[in-house]
Amino acid sequence: MAQLKRVIAEQSEFSIKLLVAGETWHCSQKMHNQLVGFEAALSTSARYVILLDDDIHIHPGTIRCWVEEMESDPKV
């Protein structure tokens, strides 16, 4: 959590939001989290929704690279 808060603070030029979906008893927790995230994104003017598992390790510039690629390629 601390690392995520640090990334959000360092990338202040972007509107990054941390959403806590809460527990579910109706479907898998992962699916519940994703659905809550998509619902939240639909209620705003979000251009991208990125879903990451908590146990992955990515290069610090990965997400920025993804966004830059999506912005530069009209087919994406």
Side-chain angles (χ1 to χ4, degrees), residues 24-52:
T24 183
W25 292 272
H26 305 291
C27 63
S28 73
Q29 188 66 50
K30 186 174 193 172
M31 182 58 63
H32 173 71
N33 296 347
Q34 291 175 351
L35 290 172
V36 170
F38 283 122
E39 287 174 6
L42 288 173
S43 69
T44 66
S45 60
R47 293 178 64 187
Y48 304 106
V49 177
I50 300 173
L51 304 170
L52 301 172

Side-chain angles (χ1 to χ4, degrees), residues 37-74:
F38 283 122
E39 287 174 6
L42 288 173
S43 69
T44 66
S45 60
R47 293 178 64 187
Y48 304 106
V49 177
I50 300 173
L51 304 170
L52 301 172
D53 280 336
D54 64 335
D55 59 348
I56 67 164
H57 299 280
I58 60 174
H59 183 274
T62 299
I63 295 173
R64 181 181 295 271
C65 182
W66 290 344
V67 172
E68 288 172 355
E69 184 65 26
M70 289 185 284
E71 292 288 329
S72 68
D73 187 347

